[in-house]
Amino acid sequence: MDNFKSLKILDMLRFFFEQMHVDYPMMRKILQLKLTMDSRRVPTIFNDSKSDSGNQFLKSLGIYALMGLILIAFLIGDQYIFQLSILYGVVMFIIMTSTISDFSSVLLDVRDNMILHTKPVDSRTINSAKVVHITLYLCQLTIAFTAIPMIVGLVNHGIVFFLLSIVILFFVNLLILIMTAFVYILILRFFDGEKLKDIINYIQILLSISMIVGYQVVARSFEFVDLHVQFDFGWWHVLMPPIWYGAIYEIVLHGAWNADYIILAALGVVVPIVAIILYIKMIPTFERNLEKLLSNNGKHKQVKEWWSRLWSKLLVWGKEERIFFDFTSRILRNERDFKLKVYPSIGMALVFPFIFIINDLTLHSWAEIREGKMYFAMYVCLILIPAGVQMLKFSTNEKGAWIFRALPVSNEAILHRAALKAFLVRLFIPVYLVLAAIFLVIFSVKIWTFLLVLLLVTGIHSRICYRVFLKESMPFSESYKGAESKQAAESFALLGLTIFFGVIHFIASSFAIGPYILIAILVVANVVLWRK
């Protein structure tokens, strides 16, 4: 096996692991094995595919490097407490999102136990190897996302800024990973079996929402006075990790040694260190509780299918299509990896429309917003469509897709149509109805044409997304491994299509008859697209 550079760097921290009673040589051996397996096919996290050899995660880092260019805007100027707090808010959002959607399954993985628990290896060493394994990938993601901005920071603010940023980014990764693990420890403590698996999916939605809301709170912690940022310390700032790290820059680069900054900066250093120490001490309990994921208490709650049956009668007409609709609905209900990938997008789709309205409150009164066209913010919920539709191609049991080819289906298009309808019914329509109800309360029934147009646009947008992502594939026929890296570009392009639809709709709404003409056009377009 190769002696990876990352392991050589890790050797410098050997003393720390030994102080935590981790069997370092054994942990290093487990890590070396995992990294070797990752390089030979694909990481356990990202899986492989027949057409793609090598580590798909590493190939996907280019997308993160492009996304990281947005951080450069926060490196111009020297109002560190404001600029760096926002910058770390963005960095934390990206890392947290990746940790929840891509690495939670690794953190909660119990498959290694079958092999390692039969050997003289303690649970603390096994779990430490798991955490370090994830941390290595998160560090690579962070480097890709921040490398170019940090070089810009080096040029603008000097070598001290650059070195300080490297140390802080390490603490940020550590903090996010450990805090995520703590959430799972808490859940594992109180729930078990099937209930636990469901709760974990819902917690991922809440974590996504909390990150979005947290980022907005950070941005509102500052006031502008004559183009200068004013920061008034409040007790609640101690709950905002991005501000902790902005305060460190103020102290180191501006010499702002006041009590407020010192408290915040100390939290940025002390909390991650205390968290990792506590986590290592709690590892035996964590590993013991992970066994609950293997248990099946047999008390399956009878799932209420009235929702699917209702929409099946409304949207599905043929017998063959209804069979595939029910089949896809059951897969979407039971496929935990699908939920893991898509549920965070549900949280974003539910929260972002209100974030836009709240942002507008800084410029307009509530009465002006209600009379205006801020209901167009509801278009943001369409981000759920590409995020969810692209995952219809993947499954943890992809080899079972042979059944689609074996069945005597008269027209393959029926199968694809049913899969897309099942997705919309189970995931999008509930989000749409919740948002529509709240927006009707806020903006009154005058927006009924808007809601109808948005629903018709959803039909077209989802059909286009499906053609892009599954043009040569059957549903649930590929492994999840490498999914993100292969389809990130298409996802960005389809988000652009959402904006295009929104602009057309906005222009049409400027004319009295515009929405009605648009409705007629969209109805015809839907009929044509959904018949294929």
Side-chain angles (χ1 to χ4, degrees):
M1 289 186 290
D2 294 334
N3 193 12
F4 296 91
K5 289 181 181 177
S6 53
L7 294 179
K8 292 178 181 177
I9 297 172
L10 190 68
D11 288 340
M12 292 188 285
L13 300 174
R14 176 173 183 154
F15 175 77
F16 171 77
F17 288 105
E18 290 178 344
Q19 289 300 307
M20 293 295 108
H21 305 292
V22 173
D23 183 350
Y24 183 78
M26 182 58 70
M27 186 191 80
R28 194 182 193 283
K29 187 65 73 180
I30 296 171
L31 275 172
Q32 192 174 14
L33 181 63
K34 285 177 178 288
L35 292 173
T36 301
M37 291 170 63
D38 293 348
S39 62
R40 285 179 181 173
R41 40 193 177 84
V42 172
T44 45
I45 316 147
F46 290 93
N47 312 319
D48 59 353
S49 65
K50 292 177 182 177
S51 58
D52 297 290
S53 59
N55 193 317
Q56 295 296 314
F57 174 70
L58 296 179
K59 294 177 181 177
S60 72
L61 294 181
I63 297 294
Y64 285 103
L66 282 175
M67 292 167 60
L69 296 178
I70 61 173
L71 299 179
I72 294 175
F74 301 107
L75 294 170
I76 300 170
D78 61 354
Q79 302 188 67
Y80 297 118
I81 186 66
F82 168 67
Q83 295 171 218
L84 276 302
S85 295
I86 299 294
L87 183 145
Y88 281 107
V90 176
V91 171
M92 286 183 166
F93 176 78
I94 294 295
I95 298 174
M96 187 72 165
T97 304
S98 182
T99 304
I100 296 168
S101 63
D102 299 328
F103 296 100
S104 289
S105 58
V106 182
L107 199 61
L108 300 170
D109 191 7
V110 289
R111 290 173 297 181
D112 290 350
N113 295 355
M114 309 291 273
I115 300 172
L116 295 175
H117 280 191
T118 60
K119 308 293 185 295
V121 188
D122 62 87
S123 59
R124 182 169 295 176
T125 302
I126 294 172
N127 198 279
S128 297
K130 198 182 290 182
V131 169
V132 175
H133 186 208
I134 297 172
T135 305
L136 291 176
Y137 280 105
L138 283 182
C139 286
Q140 291 175 29
L141 186 153
T142 307
I143 290 170
F145 187 59
T146 61
I148 297 175
M150 286 304 111
I151 292 172
V152 173
L154 173 65
V155 174
N156 281 352
H157 303 291
I159 187 68
V160 176
F161 176 93
F162 181 74
L163 296 176
L164 186 61
S165 299
I166 292 174
V167 175
I168 288 177
L169 285 170
F170 173 76
F171 277 109
V172 166
N173 274 283
L174 196 63
L175 179 68
I176 289 175
L177 181 58
I178 299 303
M179 296 311 290
T180 305
F182 272 131
V183 171
Y184 289 136
I185 288 174
L186 192 66
I187 301 167
L188 287 164
R189 173 71 179 81
F190 294 104
F191 300 96
D192 58 10
E194 291 296 314
K195 187 73 175 175
L196 171 63
K197 295 168 187 173
D198 292 334
I199 291 288
I200 286 173
N201 287 131
Y202 299 136
I203 287 296
Q204 285 158 353
I205 297 177
L206 291 177
L207 283 174
S208 300
I209 293 174
S210 66
M211 283 303 298
I212 298 166
V213 174
Y215 172 73
Q216 292 297 319
V217 173
V218 168
R220 281 167 174 69
S221 299
F222 305 93
E223 292 180 7
F224 288 88
V225 179
D226 296 332
L227 297 180
H228 288 284
V229 176
Q230 185 173 321
F231 174 68
D232 295 321
F233 179 74
W235 66 267
W236 49 277
H237 287 132
V238 301
L239 304 176
M240 301 283 106
I243 298 180
W244 300 350
Y245 297 107
I248 293 178
Y249 286 91
E250 282 290 335
I251 291 174
V252 175
L253 299 177
H254 277 166
W257 288 95
N258 64 56
D260 300 339
Y261 289 148
I262 291 173
I263 291 171
L264 294 170
L267 286 171
V269 177
V270 173
V271 171
I273 293 174
V274 172
I276 188 67
I277 292 172
L278 283 176
Y279 177 70
I280 290 175
K281 289 185 179 298
M282 296 173 71
I283 281 176
T285 307
F286 183 35
E287 285 293 316
R288 196 164 52 248
N289 286 332
L290 275 179
E291 300 294 333
K292 293 179 180 178
L293 290 170
L294 295 172
S295 70
N296 188 340
N297 55 21
K299 296 178 181 177
H300 288 288
K301 187 173 65 176
Q302 189 63 38
V303 178
K304 295 178 181 177
E305 286 296 328
W306 64 268
W307 178 262
S308 293
R309 283 201 296 271
L310 171 67
W311 287 98
S312 172
K313 291 177 182 174
L314 292 173
L315 299 178
V316 185
W317 304 289
K319 186 178 178 182
E320 280 185 336
E321 188 174 332
R322 184 164 291 117
I323 291 171
F324 286 117
F325 178 88
D326 293 340
F327 178 68
T328 306
S329 295
R330 284 180 168 81
I331 290 180
L332 296 182
R333 191 183 68 217
N334 298 321
E335 183 92 19
R336 297 197 184 283
D337 278 354
F338 179 86
K339 295 178 183 177
L340 204 65
K341 302 283 184 186
V342 178
Y343 276 25
S345 300
I346 295 178
M348 295 181 193
L350 282 169
V351 170
F352 268 123
F354 300 105
I355 295 290
F356 281 98
I357 292 175
I358 293 170
N359 282 336
D360 201 43
L361 273 173
T362 58
L363 301 173
H364 303 95
S365 67
W366 180 245
E368 288 174 329
I369 289 175
R370 293 190 64 186
E371 292 301 316
K373 293 186 176 181
M374 271 310 293
Y375 47 81
F376 272 86
M378 197 172 156
Y379 259 88
V380 183
C381 73
L382 293 185
I383 60 174
L384 176 59
I385 301 292
V389 170
Q390 66 174 313
M391 287 300 151
L392 288 175
K393 189 196 298 187
F394 305 103
S395 172
T396 48
N397 301 303
E398 73 279 6
K399 292 179 181 175
W402 63 269
I403 191 72
F404 294 126
R405 302 292 184 193
L407 291 173
V409 184
S410 59
N411 184 356
E412 223 173 64
I414 293 174
L415 187 156
H416 292 290
R417 200 161 56 221
L420 182 56
K421 285 180 180 177
F423 162 77
L424 292 173
V425 166
R426 289 204 68 86
L427 295 176
F428 181 78
I429 289 180
V431 171
Y432 172 85
L433 291 178
V434 169
L435 290 175
I438 297 173
F439 273 55
L440 279 171
V441 172
I442 296 174
F443 297 100
S444 79
V445 292
K446 70 179 182 182
I447 65 168
W448 73 270
T449 54
F450 166 82
L451 294 174
L452 182 56
V453 169
L454 181 60
L455 194 60
L456 293 168
V457 165
T458 299
I460 296 172
H461 191 224
S462 60
R463 201 72 176 132
I464 294 172
C465 288
Y466 194 93
R467 293 292 294 269
V468 170
F469 291 125
L470 287 94
K471 55 186 174 186
E472 296 176 351
S473 305
M474 300 298 280
F476 314 113
S477 61
E478 294 186 18
S479 168
Y480 281 108
K481 301 171 182 176
E484 291 83 356
S485 61
K486 285 190 288 188
Q487 299 188 308
E490 289 92 334
S491 298
F492 277 114
L494 289 166
L495 286 177
L497 183 65
T498 304
I499 296 172
F500 172 76
F501 280 126
V503 171
I504 295 294
H505 188 176
F506 188 85
I507 294 171
S509 68
S510 302
F511 306 94
I513 198 172
Y516 303 103
I517 295 175
L518 192 57
I519 288 171
I521 295 171
L522 291 172
V523 167
V524 173
N526 268 285
V527 169
V528 172
L529 282 173
W530 283 91
R531 272 189 174 178
K532 289 184 178 178

